[in-house]
Amino acid sequence: MRNWEAGEVKIFDYKSETEVTVDRIVKPEEEYGKQLPADVFRIVREQGTETPFSGKYVDHRQKGIYRCVVCGTDLFLSDAKFESGTGWPSFSQPVSPLNILEESDMSGGMVRTEVRCARCGSHLGHVFDDGPKPTGMRYCMNSAALAFEGIP
Ligand SMILES: [Zn+2]
């Protein structure tokens, strides 16, 4: 994995509403290959992008939380989800800025900002500055990178 080494990271835990310090997850890619379905692996470990309108969370409107499919880190609340029309699940902000990493991504002949999980480094999607107010941000995620849990 690019730019990834062992160490501690502080993330926000939604259920306990506290910041917790955890170890970064560092594993050989072969292990992820065994752990994850091939289509998920291609996206989260090889910076893939799912086909628009193909993901299971594009039109998903239940109340709850979206976590990293690989390590379970809290990423986005349903309250921050909005209809972007792009074909990918879109959010106006993360649960906490602590829980994601934003890195410059020059791949594909474009300058974009990649979004990665702060705990395991997995690729989640990209963030753009054309989102709704008040944040103005559009976190454009791959459904395959997320695991949803409903909150009553
Ligand atoms: Zn993760």
Side-chain angles (χ1 to χ4, degrees):
M1 197 73 189
R2 310 147 288 139
N3 318 324
W4 203 248
E5 44 193 56
E8 290 187 333
V9 62
K10 189 186 278 186
I11 58 173
F12 180 77
D13 179 64
Y14 177 74
K15 271 190 179 147
S16 64
E17 294 183 25
T18 54
E19 292 178 5
V20 292
T21 300
V22 293
D23 286 326
R24 249 187 226 141
I25 296 172
V26 182
K27 282 203 281 194
E29 294 306 310
E30 303 85 76
E31 271 190 48
Y32 285 115
K34 288 177 199 156
Q35 175 190 338
L36 303 168
D39 55 332
V40 175
F41 180 85
R42 186 183 65 80
I43 288 165
V44 299
R45 305 307 299 178
E46 298 182 329
Q47 264 189 292
T49 299
E50 66 198 6
T51 308
F53 300 102
S54 71
K56 61 183 170 181
Y57 296 136
V58 177
D59 294 319
H60 193 255
R61 290 190 178 82
Q62 290 176 43
K63 186 171 164 54
I65 189 164
Y66 296 84
R67 298 197 176 91
C68 174
V69 74
V70 179
C71 75
T73 292
D74 299 335
L75 297 175
F76 298 98
L77 294 174
S78 56
D79 290 351
K81 195 170 188 291
F82 67 97
E83 194 49 64
S84 66
T86 59
W88 291 283
S90 302
F91 303 86
S92 56
Q93 61 185 1
V95 164
S96 163
L98 292 174
N99 295 18
I100 58 164
L101 299 173
E102 297 186 13
E103 291 180 4
S104 184
D105 175 10
M106 308 294 218
S107 69
M110 293 169 277
V111 182
R112 293 178 293 175
T113 302
E114 180 192 7
V115 179
R116 299 170 73 184
C117 173
R119 186 168 191 198
C120 72
S122 290
H123 173 77
L124 306 171
H126 290 89
V127 59
F128 303 90
D129 60 5
D130 58 6
K133 289 175 179 174
T135 67
M137 304 308 283
R138 171 170 60 94
Y139 287 84
C140 183
M141 298 292 106
N142 291 287
S143 294
L146 304 173
F148 176 82
E149 185 190 332
I151 297 174

